[in-house]
Amino acid sequence: MGLIFWIDENTFATSLLEKALKSQGMEFYTVADARDFAYLINDLKPAFVVVDSATALKNIEAFRKQYEETERFSGSPVVILGDAEPFSFITNSIRKLERPFDPFKLKDFFR
């Protein structure tokens, strides 16, 4: 299925997500802020990029710049957690995921 790259400052939640997804055989990598991650997108080539809107909005200009300058990010489907409206600049496939969700059912969401 490929790597899920998750941007979210809530490290408690992402720790649980990591355990849940890896227990189901999925690859998972997370960063806690939206300031400096583009090099990871280039290196890891994720199947999906999941963005917590509250985390990205704290550094929206840096997030937008990395989105625009990272070829692989521009091609990966993007999942927004929360309000997707501020991310209208994202032109590739975009999906929305609402909280709360069951981390053990996310595998079906990403299929």
Side-chain angles (χ1 to χ4, degrees):
M1 177 178 294
L3 176 80
I4 309 298
F5 186 89
W6 202 286
I7 302 169
D8 192 339
E9 66 187 354
N10 186 338
T11 57
F12 178 78
T14 55
S15 177
L16 173 61
L17 284 165
E18 180 176 21
K19 289 176 184 168
L21 294 174
K22 285 186 174 182
S23 75
Q24 297 175 48
M26 297 180 69
E27 297 176 73
F28 182 85
Y29 190 87
T30 185
V31 293
D33 65 56
R35 285 180 285 192
D36 185 26
F37 62 87
Y39 69 97
L40 291 168
I41 300 284
N42 284 327
D43 291 348
L44 299 174
K45 299 173 181 44
F48 291 91
V49 176
V50 180
V51 180
D52 172 60
S53 62
T55 300
L57 286 172
K58 290 181 178 180
N59 297 293
I60 191 66
E61 288 308 314
F63 178 86
R64 183 181 186 140
K65 182 179 180 187
Q66 289 179 91
Y67 171 78
E68 291 171 349
E69 293 178 356
T70 306
E71 182 179 333
R72 179 66 186 167
F73 189 18
S74 297
S76 296
V78 177
V79 176
I80 302 292
L81 298 171
D83 184 14
E85 182 141 346
F87 303 94
S88 60
F89 58 88
I90 296 176
T91 58
N92 46 319
S93 176
I94 188 167
R95 295 172 69 184
K96 190 171 177 184
L97 180 62
E98 292 291 338
R99 287 188 171 111
F101 54 82
D102 183 341
F104 293 94
K105 294 183 179 175
L106 282 178
K107 186 173 184 177
D108 292 333
F109 177 83
F110 289 111
R111 285 185 189 206

